[in-house]
Amino acid sequence: DSIRNQTFTDFELYIIDDLSTDNSVSFIKDYISKNALECNFIVNKQNQGICKNLNYLLQMAQGKYLTFIAADDWGDTNRFESMLKILEAAPDDVSTVYSDALLVDENGESLHDSYLKHFRPDLKVPPQGDVFQDLLSFNFIPAMATVTRTQAIKSVGGFDENLKFEDFDLWLKLANKYKFLYSDDSKCYYRILPNSLIRTLGARKWEDLYTIYEKYLGKSPATDKLVLKMMNKCLAN
């Protein structure tokens, strides 16, 4: 509903079901029919994983900008409009606009923190501009609360299909080449579920984080110090 009711309406919508094992496909088909929703609904015959799905969308998408959101999250209805205004006025070296997200439980009730405060309580203000070093200390950008230039994502090679989750690796690749801007004009809502993908990865999450950090060894002495610290943290977990 938060996508269908956006105040900015000139967008292309893709919905992917990645071989779900419940009644998601029939539910989505009913929703599309009931709301006369103009979209591209893709039903995978084999599970592809989020990164491979997003690379497929990156090839298919016609739009100048790209945003993605999981089925259990949502955003304010002015999100597209407010973020696009910022990106349209920004120089070409800005790839991404992001906002904060409020944490909610499975019933949509607010929890005690925002995404930024929960995952990066050390940050006094949301970073802007060159955010690469800040990102190295751990992710603070909510994936569902971003809009990014499509060409910028293509220029850094898209999504790493060897990883189980998509966002942190992409933000680092983009931040290594482009600048980021922060917007407080709208909010997204990040649902905390016990059975969400990132919460069920276990040790694989730390293995993937190790792989992500390893990519930046040798960038600079200052970067190496922080990268090694975070790689040791991954090993400890």
Side-chain angles (χ1 to χ4, degrees):
D1 284 346
S2 73
I3 300 296
R4 184 169 61 89
N5 295 322
Q6 285 293 311
T7 55
F8 178 88
T9 59
D10 184 17
F11 62 86
E12 179 183 33
L13 175 63
Y14 284 86
I15 303 172
I16 291 187
D17 180 90
D18 199 21
L19 196 66
S20 59
T21 56
D22 56 16
N23 66 337
S24 290
V25 171
S26 60
F27 181 88
I28 294 168
K29 285 181 177 179
D30 287 345
Y31 182 92
I32 291 171
S33 176
K34 177 182 176 182
N35 294 285
L37 184 65
E38 185 175 342
C39 67
N40 302 280
F41 182 34
I42 299 159
V43 180
N44 288 342
K45 302 303 181 184
Q46 292 182 321
N47 184 270
Q48 302 294 327
I50 189 167
C51 293
K52 190 168 185 178
N53 279 313
L54 288 173
N55 275 335
Y56 173 76
L57 291 183
L58 191 59
Q59 295 174 15
M60 298 292 293
Q62 302 295 308
K64 184 178 177 182
Y65 305 104
L66 185 145
T67 184
F68 47 97
I69 190 165
D72 49 358
D73 304 324
W74 74 96
D76 289 346
T77 56
N78 70 325
R79 182 170 75 90
F80 291 0
E81 183 178 8
S82 63
M83 288 186 167
L84 287 173
K85 284 181 180 177
I86 295 171
L87 268 177
E88 284 284 283
D92 291 341
D93 64 349
V94 173
S95 71
T96 305
V97 173
Y98 76 99
S99 71
D100 201 355
L102 301 180
L103 304 187
V104 298
D105 64 18
E106 57 188 87
N107 299 312
E109 299 295 327
S110 295
L111 298 174
H112 65 285
D113 272 335
S114 72
Y115 191 102
L116 274 77
K117 290 179 180 177
H118 182 77
F119 290 102
R120 288 296 302 277
D122 57 305
L123 295 174
K124 303 305 180 185
V125 295
Q128 296 193 81
D130 183 358
V131 302
F132 180 77
Q133 290 294 330
D134 286 314
L135 269 173
L136 278 179
S137 293
F138 208 64
N139 187 30
F140 55 84
I141 297 175
M144 81 298 302
T146 62
V147 175
T148 300
R149 299 186 197 274
T150 305
Q151 186 54 45
I153 299 177
K154 291 180 178 179
S155 76
V156 297
F159 300 88
D160 186 343
E161 295 181 12
N162 294 311
L163 302 173
K164 287 292 187 182
F165 56 93
E166 80 293 354
D167 52 342
F168 187 42
D169 181 64
L170 178 65
W171 306 147
L172 282 171
K173 289 193 293 187
L174 287 170
N176 194 32
K177 184 175 181 179
Y178 297 98
K179 295 178 180 177
F180 283 51
L181 294 177
Y182 177 78
S183 170
D184 60 3
D185 288 340
S186 65
K187 292 288 187 295
C188 283
Y189 301 84
Y190 178 61
R191 201 186 302 267
I192 303 294
L193 297 173
N195 61 344
S196 63
L197 172 64
I198 196 66
R199 288 177 173 268
T200 56
L201 284 177
R204 177 60 192 266
K205 178 183 79 170
W206 293 103
E207 291 174 11
D208 278 7
L209 283 171
Y210 185 95
T211 300
I212 291 169
Y213 280 117
E214 196 174 25
K215 296 177 181 181
Y216 298 96
L217 276 177
K219 179 177 169 62
S220 71
T223 298
D224 282 355
K225 183 177 180 180
L226 182 52
V227 166
L228 288 170
K229 176 184 175 183
M230 299 306 295
M231 289 172 69
N232 285 331
K233 181 177 180 180
C234 294
L235 290 173
N237 284 278

